[in-house]
Amino acid sequence: MKLRAGIVLLSLAGSTVWAGEPESCRNVRFADVGWTDIAATTGLASVVLQGLGYKPSKTIASEPIVFAGLKNRQLDAYLGYWDPSQTPAITPFVQAKALQVLPAANLDGAKYTLAVPSYAAEKGLRTFADIARFRKELDGKIYGIEAGSQGNAQIKKMIDGNEFGLGGFKLIESSEAGMLVEANKAYRQKKMVVFLAWEPHPMNFMMKLTYLSGGDKQFGPNFGGSKVYTVLANDFQQRCPNAGKLLGNLKFTLDMENHVMAPIMQKINPDTAARQWLQRNPQALEPWLDGVSTFDGKPGLAAVKSFLAQ
């Protein structure tokens, strides 16, 4: 039997079992761009890894820094590549084969584009082309998220190019949390406001929203219809095949993420919110842990269930 990188492969009942990984694999370094949905999925992955005996950590950074960190192997994994919104930022890294995008999406059915409270839509603000007509009521502002995000870049491009008559509007950059503070404030006061919105996110049941149509060129069809992919450092699955197998197995749903995100929005630690959700929904573990063992080679599913029961 051939030994490679300190890993022994054993065939048992037709499945692959890993008899331990190198100590260097114990620390799994996640990237997070500061969005609540990525906090939720990273929390879910982290709790499962903890149950398997790993020591996950998280670095919050902007998109360019995340992709550069994966390229330089300073980070191992990012669960939040939104396609198509983040595609312009990641494409140079993909073309240079500087990181690995796993082929299967970890989330289908997402969306990401501009939205308004539904009472604004009832007043006639239903499309991108309608925004300029409400310049005064909107105070000439469109609320984005963190600087460096591709969503902000699209808004800035529209303003700079006077697309939809948006020349002279001001992009308000802050963060997801900062944007939501302004959106919720306007919502409570029934004021007009336009902001970047997406699903999954608790904002979709905290506020009655209308996603604006007409932005297919800027954000993609179907209201910025998106898939979310897992991105890994180039050699991660080769160095750490057991942890890599888990990350490749991870698939989420809109409902799952919405419910994990809700307590995070109330300042609950993402790992705590994820653990509580997994305790209530242990059936999610089986497909994630198919063919996955603990760090030291023991059955993974039993270990994680025991960890959650503690």
Side-chain angles (χ1 to χ4, degrees), residues 134-173:
F134 292 89
R135 183 185 299 264
K136 183 178 179 180
E137 293 92 331
L138 295 167
D139 195 26
K141 296 176 181 178
I142 299 175
Y143 289 89
I145 46 176
E146 72 280 351
S149 74
Q150 287 301 307
N152 284 13
Q154 289 293 348
I155 296 170
K156 189 174 187 302
K157 183 179 178 182
M158 287 190 292
I159 292 172
D160 291 346
N162 195 29
E163 297 177 35
F164 305 107
L166 296 178
F169 267 75
K170 184 178 180 181
L171 166 64
I172 307 299
E173 294 186 303

Side-chain angles (χ1 to χ4, degrees), residues 27-246:
N27 298 311
V28 180
R29 302 165 299 175
F30 285 101
D32 181 346
V33 294
W35 298 354
T36 308
D37 63 299
I38 310 307
T41 55
T42 301
L44 289 165
S46 295
V47 168
V48 174
L49 283 165
Q50 290 166 20
L52 295 172
Y54 291 83
K55 295 180 179 179
S57 61
K58 180 173 72 173
T59 296
I60 297 179
S62 65
E63 291 172 21
I65 293 174
V66 165
F67 297 140
L70 289 165
K71 172 187 175 181
N72 297 329
R73 296 176 174 81
Q74 296 169 314
L75 297 167
D76 298 313
Y78 174 51
L79 302 179
Y81 160 34
W82 279 62
D83 179 33
S85 65
Q86 290 182 324
T87 298
I90 200 174
T91 293
F93 295 93
V94 173
Q95 291 176 340
K97 299 182 179 179
L99 40 70
Q100 180 188 11
V101 178
L102 297 188
N106 66 45
L107 179 71
D108 289 305
K111 57 186 175 183
Y112 180 65
T113 190
L114 294 178
V116 299
S118 291
Y119 58 76
E122 291 168 3
K123 294 179 180 179
L125 208 176
R126 297 188 177 90
T127 76
F128 277 57
D130 293 327
I131 298 173
R133 292 196 295 112
F134 292 89
R135 183 185 299 264
K136 183 178 179 180
E137 293 92 331
L138 295 167
D139 195 26
K141 296 176 181 178
I142 299 175
Y143 289 89
I145 46 176
E146 72 280 351
S149 74
Q150 287 301 307
N152 284 13
Q154 289 293 348
I155 296 170
K156 189 174 187 302
K157 183 179 178 182
M158 287 190 292
I159 292 172
D160 291 346
N162 195 29
E163 297 177 35
F164 305 107
L166 296 178
F169 267 75
K170 184 178 180 181
L171 166 64
I172 307 299
E173 294 186 303
S174 55
S175 63
E176 173 195 329
M179 176 274 290
L180 287 171
V181 166
E182 295 298 329
N184 275 297
K185 180 180 177 182
Y187 190 83
R188 290 193 301 270
Q189 297 175 357
K190 296 293 184 182
K191 290 184 177 180
M192 302 289 276
V193 63
V194 175
F195 55 96
L196 272 175
W198 58 91
E199 188 176 22
H201 196 283
M203 72 174 89
N204 292 280
F205 51 80
M206 293 167 60
M207 297 181 281
K208 188 176 180 182
L209 301 181
T210 296
Y211 286 81
L212 300 183
S213 60
D216 291 12
K217 177 182 175 183
Q218 291 73 24
F219 289 91
N222 301 316
F223 303 101
S226 304
K227 292 186 177 184
V228 184
Y229 290 87
T230 297
V231 187
L232 303 178
N234 260 340
D235 63 347
F236 182 75
Q237 286 188 315
Q238 289 71 44
R239 288 189 294 109
C240 307
N242 184 60
K245 173 71 171 172
L246 169 67

